[in-house]
Amino acid sequence: MTESALEGQWALILGASSGFGAATALALAEAGMHIAGVHLDRQATMPNVERLVQTIEETHGRQALFRNMNAANEGKRRQFLDDLCNHLRGSGGPTSVRVLLHSLAFGTLGPYVARNAGDSSLTQRQLEMTLDVMANSIVYWTQDMLGRALLGAGSKIYGMTSAGDARVIPNYGAVSAAKAALGSHIRQLAAELAPMGIAANAIKAGITDTPALERIPGSDRLIEFARAHNPSGRMTEPLDVGHTIVQLSINDSHWLTGNTINVDGGEDIAAI
């Protein structure tokens, strides 16, 4: 099958305004898909969202239904999905979503145990918020989409994880726990949705220079490591993920499901 299989289909991207979410939105739009995007931006970064929407609509000729909201808010989630349902059913095209990408990168960075005077350790509220936004929310979005018949046979669910799901990185503990939980949620969803013909996979990108990475203390050392050790000779780029999701989404088969797929140029397997 070719990219034409995605022509006129819909993708819903959680965390659509930057990094992997934005790159995947552009790759899927180029492949012919309409994009529904959820993002959380302040006024300073809204011009980036406006440029993204303009590219989807004017350059690629696709529909862009974007909303600036907290993706972890139950009421806002359900209202957005109700609006998406109404939009799809009034458009005369597909009434379900082909691709759901969970790429939410909103969590708290910091140590579990403060060792120096003036430092603070993660609170229960911060830890639970990070887990809820970056992991648990994929379950809630999937449940509510199924309840509205927005997912069906041939739909693909992707959750963005990282090598930090099983490695210790300073100040990354809460996010690491969320990434590990996300992988577990993906496996459970894959098993429960397999009889419906819906696939669910985690995408483990290599170290990538994104706004989310920049917020990690010591991210410059991670970038240096990736540039020095990736056997493909460069760091992973957001569009590497976007293009991979396009290729994984073309085929209707749900037989590839329940996996964690490395998109990293061989970074994770390279000898140091």
Side-chain angles (χ1 to χ4, degrees), residues 6 15 37 42 72 79 83-84 107 109 123 144 148-150 156 165 177 196 214 221 227 238 271:
L6 302 180
R42 294 178 175 154
Q79 183 61 60
D83 294 343
L84 180 60
L109 298 166
T123 66
D144 284 348
R148 291 162 175 77
L150 282 169
K156 316 287 185 179
D165 65 352
M196 302 172 63
E214 293 172 3
R221 295 194 297 275
R227 287 174 174 164

Side-chain angles (χ1 to χ4, degrees), residues 16-186:
S17 62
S18 64
F20 299 118
T24 302
L26 290 173
L28 291 173
E30 185 177 15
M33 298 192 76
H34 305 302
I35 309 297
V38 172
H39 59 100
L40 187 61
D41 284 89
R42 294 178 175 154
Q43 187 174 0
T45 53
M46 280 303 296
N48 298 332
V49 181
E50 292 163 1
R51 284 191 291 271
L52 176 61
V53 169
Q54 183 178 27
T55 302
I56 293 169
E57 293 180 336
E58 298 182 8
T59 303
H60 299 302
R62 303 300 160 191
Q63 297 178 57
L65 185 65
F66 275 53
R67 185 163 300 173
N68 193 14
M69 55 173 266
N70 178 2
N73 182 288
E74 180 181 5
K76 293 183 183 297
R77 177 181 72 244
R78 291 180 173 175
Q79 183 61 60
F80 178 81
L81 290 176
D82 286 342
D83 294 343
L84 180 60
C85 272
N86 292 333
H87 183 83
L88 266 59
R89 288 163 189 170
S91 66
T95 57
S96 62
V97 170
R98 173 76 166 205
V99 173
L100 168 62
L101 171 63
H102 183 284
S103 184
L104 298 176
F106 187 84
T108 302
L109 298 166
Y112 284 173
V113 179
R115 295 189 175 184
N116 302 309
D119 290 348
S120 58
S121 54
L122 285 181
T123 66
Q124 178 179 345
R125 181 174 180 272
Q126 290 171 327
L127 184 57
E128 291 175 352
M129 179 276 292
T130 303
L131 283 165
D132 196 50
V133 173
M134 298 188 69
N136 299 343
S137 60
I138 195 171
V139 177
Y140 310 141
W141 278 90
T142 300
Q143 290 171 335
D144 284 348
M145 292 178 74
L146 286 168
R148 291 162 175 77
L150 282 169
L151 294 172
S155 292
K156 316 287 185 179
I157 300 171
Y158 304 103
M160 290 302 309
T161 187
S162 72
D165 65 352
R167 294 180 182 174
V168 175
I169 299 171
N171 300 298
Y172 198 73
V175 177
S176 177
K179 294 297 188 183
L182 179 70
S184 180
H185 290 331
I186 285 288

